[in-house]
Amino acid sequence: MTPWVQLQFNIGRLISYIPFMFQAQDQLFSFRNNMRTADELCGTPEIPTDDVFISQVIQRSPITFYTENTADKLITDISRLDDIDTFDKTYYEVNRVEVDKETSEITIFTKDDPKQGKPGGPITRKKDGGAKFQRAMQHAMTCLNSFVTVIGHSWVHFLFPDAVAAVVHNDVDSRSVLYKLLEPHTRYSSFSNYGAIAASATIATTAAPRGQENALEKQFEPWTPWPVSAGEFTRKNSERTTDYYFSDEFACPPKWFEGPSAELPYIKSLKRFYPIVRDHVTKVLQFEDFATIDKFIADVDNATRVDGKSLDLTRFDPVDVIATLIFDASFIHSTDHYFGYRVYHETRFSIGTLRHPLEREWYPGSRVPEDILDDDDRVRSQGFFNIFGKFNDNKFISNSMASLKYKFVQKELKTAGKELIAAIEAEQEKMKIDGDMFCPLKDVARSLCF
């Protein structure tokens, strides 16, 4: 990142978040000083009563990437939460959700409890009754939300995108076509990713148990709803990222374009944009020499090396390597944020922390979710989603794909940005007719940092 781009980030990009940071501070202060209730600030807490809703969450949010589409079931595996080290008296107990495709019946699985000597087991409305099942639904929604944010979204940000950004800004000639193609899509990636995993990262130093918080930290960081330390956040991100990239999961283009799960609405819609990106990259790279492209692929491959292993990017078509990066930085990243915000936050069905175990019998009447959700956590969770979950663009220093402008000097490429935008808009119009879901163009960021 050049000093000028860093200045753009610090002044232009960050300034668009300042109002939401102040708002989060003001809301938490108002709540803690009994000036406004959590319901007034966040809306009345809700929980889905219809099994079909969970089915739609699984098919229409980023959790789809962790869902197996079998002949008769949807099986969502979030067992990576099993060994996460949460703060005392906070609970992530659900590790799998299954949906019967014929009846939409939900089965919620919990992890084993070695301290109590209890195995994890299935919970259904029919077997366990409405009250327990409703509590399980609240835990499931919170675990799905937390899994996506704390673990599941990591591969979209780290390792491959980081390596590409580092090579573009350090090794690629700034006069080249390749640099001008990739610079807008890697402009803020390194700075943003470093901020997310640094020891003092504001989204990782999170909500400790009552009475054990760092009061000063919570005063100035009222947007931290996750019950894990910065180190634990980084550990789980690193595990998931390396597991994704150094396994059969990773390919250029993505392997998840194929197979039964590719027919689920989230992936089915998302993958429609890849051919547009690939055609765009193919056209632009006609004006770049092969030696520059080959060196770039080799340099990125070397930059991804971990414990002597690299991603072996030379096995893929260079066009697909570059198109996959742009597709990841813009479409996967923005779509994850856009629908994560709407499914997990706007519905008011989940927050980041639960402070009571699923088996606990709450208060008389076992009210769900009022007695499960901590109001302080609800307010803080809203602050997180408004700051980090949605795209708060700055029209003066915009990071929106809708305002994309390349700095190509070749006359044949002068309109490349406009043609890409036009193709995206045309596809989205078709998707409206087809009933497919998509992140609106104005909410698609062109670089990983919002």
Side-chain angles (χ1 to χ4, degrees), residues 41-102:
L41 294 167
C42 306
T44 305
E46 298 182 18
I47 193 169
T49 57
D50 186 351
D51 289 10
V52 174
F53 179 82
I54 292 284
S55 172
Q56 293 304 307
V57 166
I58 287 171
Q59 297 182 68
R60 296 176 180 275
S61 81
I63 204 68
T64 304
F65 288 122
Y66 300 89
T67 298
E68 182 183 1
N69 183 18
T70 71
D72 56 351
K73 290 182 180 180
L74 298 175
I75 303 172
T76 299
D77 180 3
I78 54 173
S79 58
R80 288 176 181 272
L81 285 175
D82 284 359
D83 75 334
I84 195 168
D85 187 14
T86 62
F87 291 131
D88 188 34
K89 297 181 181 178
T90 61
Y91 300 89
Y92 287 154
E93 296 184 279
V94 173
N95 65 6
R96 190 164 92 247
V97 178
E98 294 186 0
V99 181
D100 185 290
K101 292 168 73 170
E102 182 177 350

Side-chain angles (χ1 to χ4, degrees), residues 45 47 131-139 142 351 353-358 360 362-363 366-375 377-378:
I47 193 169
K132 183 174 181 178
F133 185 74
Q134 286 296 95
R135 295 198 299 272
M137 290 270 272
Q138 179 63 66
H139 274 263
T142 295
I351 58 173
T353 298
L354 290 178
R355 297 181 181 273
H356 304 288
L358 195 155
R360 174 172 175 174
W362 309 107
Y363 298 98
S366 189
R367 300 175 302 165
V368 179
E370 292 91 337
D371 293 336
I372 301 179
L373 304 185
D374 183 295
D375 283 346
D377 291 329
R378 289 173 56 208

Side-chain angles (χ1 to χ4, degrees), residues 203-336:
I203 65 171
T205 49
T206 54
R210 294 289 168 260
Q212 299 181 36
E213 302 182 351
N214 179 324
L216 184 64
E217 178 181 284
K218 293 302 119 183
Q219 179 66 30
F220 291 101
E221 296 177 4
W223 45 75
T224 51
W226 316 111
V228 296
S229 68
E232 189 68 357
F233 177 87
T234 302
R235 180 180 77 87
K236 296 304 291 186
N237 267 266
S238 298
E239 281 182 1
R240 173 57 191 143
T241 300
T242 52
D243 285 351
Y244 175 78
Y245 283 110
F246 293 104
S247 72
D248 290 339
E249 280 190 88
F250 173 68
C252 300
K255 279 191 175 181
W256 41 262
F257 282 179
E258 305 297 333
S261 293
E263 295 308 308
L264 297 178
Y266 195 80
I267 295 176
K268 181 181 178 182
S269 299
L270 187 57
K271 70 180 185 179
R272 290 182 63 161
F273 295 104
Y274 185 80
I276 296 171
V277 175
R278 195 184 194 282
D279 288 348
H280 168 67
V281 171
T282 299
K283 175 183 177 180
V284 171
L285 291 186
Q286 294 179 64
F287 297 87
E288 185 58 273
D289 63 84
F290 292 124
T292 298
I293 297 170
D294 289 345
K295 182 179 184 301
F296 168 74
I297 300 297
D299 288 346
V300 172
D301 200 55
N302 186 59
T304 63
R305 196 170 295 277
V306 175
D307 295 333
K309 295 189 297 183
S310 74
L311 299 186
D312 190 19
L313 295 173
T314 55
R315 61 196 162 119
F316 307 122
D317 186 325
V319 171
D320 282 311
V321 173
I322 294 168
T324 296
L325 178 280
I326 296 174
F327 180 70
D328 176 288
S330 297
F331 291 97
I332 302 175
H333 176 250
S334 298
T335 305
D336 275 9

Side-chain angles (χ1 to χ4, degrees), residues 93-131:
E93 296 184 279
V94 173
N95 65 6
R96 190 164 92 247
V97 178
E98 294 186 0
V99 181
D100 185 290
K101 292 168 73 170
E102 182 177 350
T103 66
S104 293
E105 182 181 5
I106 304 295
T107 304
I108 297 170
F109 293 82
T110 59
K111 66 180 181 181
D112 294 346
D113 185 352
K115 292 181 181 179
Q116 301 294 327
K118 295 180 181 179
I123 300 171
T124 65
R125 190 189 301 275
K126 185 183 299 183
K127 175 174 70 72
D128 297 281

Side-chain angles (χ1 to χ4, degrees), residues 21 95 111 164 170 174 177 229 288-289 332 350 386 389 419:
M21 292 177 175
N95 65 6
K111 66 180 181 181
V164 172
N170 289 292
S174 61
V177 169
S229 68
E288 185 58 273
D289 63 84
I332 302 175
S350 63
N386 285 337
E419 291 171 3

